[in-house]
């Protein structure tokens, strides 16, 4: 089992963030543009933890530095099945996280729930960037 899966299943936001490379790219299942950078990716993942209910990984597929983690969850009572596609660098840091979800009703519920989180997500990311530049 990979370290990202362990951190997610433990709902350990700090451990998840520690696994992200500084130049990680998050590819959302519900947004057109990718989100580059550790601060925004970590903030998005914290938002996801706030909206996912009864989350569990059901299968893991690994091929070298690329992993696929299939999951099931609910968002506002709607079933969501999906997959986290991870790419790792030589140091074991995540360089890309692409999420795919289905069915459409679940994707729509996720889009609405994350849309409601987005102001907080942006604020958390900006606060992290300010902390990083101050140190």
């Amino acid at each position: 089992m990979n370290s990202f899966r362990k951190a997610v299943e433990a709902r350990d936001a700090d451990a998840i963030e520690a696994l992200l490379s500084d130049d990680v790219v998050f590819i959302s299942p519900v947004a057109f543009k990718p989100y580059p950078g550790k601060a925004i990716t970590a903030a998005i993942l914290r938002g996801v933890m706030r909206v996912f209910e009864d989350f569990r990984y059901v299968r893991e597929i690994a091929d070298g530095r690329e992993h696929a983690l299939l999951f099931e969850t609910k968002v506002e009572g709607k079933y969501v099945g999906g997959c986290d596609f991870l790419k790792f660098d030589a140091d074991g840091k995540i360089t890309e996280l692409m999420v795919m979800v289905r069915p459409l009703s679940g994707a729509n519920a996720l889009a609405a729930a994350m849309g409601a989180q987005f102001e907080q997500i942006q604020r958390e990311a900006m606060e992290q960037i300010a902390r990083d530049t101050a140190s």
Side-chain angles (χ1 to χ4, degrees):
M1 181 183 323
N2 77 45
S3 51
F4 180 79
R5 178 178 179 170
K6 288 179 186 176
V8 169
E9 288 176 338
R11 300 184 58 83
D12 187 341
D14 292 335
I16 294 168
E17 185 171 352
L19 293 168
L20 303 174
S21 72
D22 289 338
D23 59 349
V24 64
V25 175
F26 179 79
I27 302 169
S28 168
V30 295
F32 176 72
K33 66 176 182 124
Y35 295 94
K38 185 175 186 174
I40 190 67
T41 300
I44 289 168
L45 294 174
R46 285 190 299 273
V48 167
M49 286 194 296
R50 290 189 291 267
V51 302
F52 277 2
E53 307 157 10
D54 303 321
F55 178 89
R56 66 186 180 102
Y57 283 117
V58 295
R59 186 169 178 209
E60 181 174 342
I61 303 165
D63 183 16
R65 292 187 190 166
E66 296 190 18
H67 292 232
L69 300 168
L70 285 75
F71 64 84
E72 293 180 344
T73 191
K74 290 182 182 174
V75 175
E76 298 180 1
K78 300 247 187 243
Y79 170 82
V80 177
C83 189
D84 292 335
F85 294 97
L86 307 164
K87 290 184 182 179
F88 294 88
D89 64 16
D91 297 323
K93 297 286 187 173
I94 298 167
T95 59
E96 182 179 289
L97 170 54
M98 178 173 62
V99 181
M100 304 293 285
V101 298
R102 63 164 303 281
L104 182 57
S105 60
N108 287 338
L110 178 60
M114 290 303 291
Q117 292 280 320
F118 211 72
E119 186 176 307
Q120 181 176 352
I121 289 168
Q122 288 179 310
R123 186 175 53 253
E124 289 176 9
M126 295 306 293
E127 290 169 357
Q128 183 62 48
I129 290 168
R131 284 192 297 274
D132 291 347
T133 55
S135 27

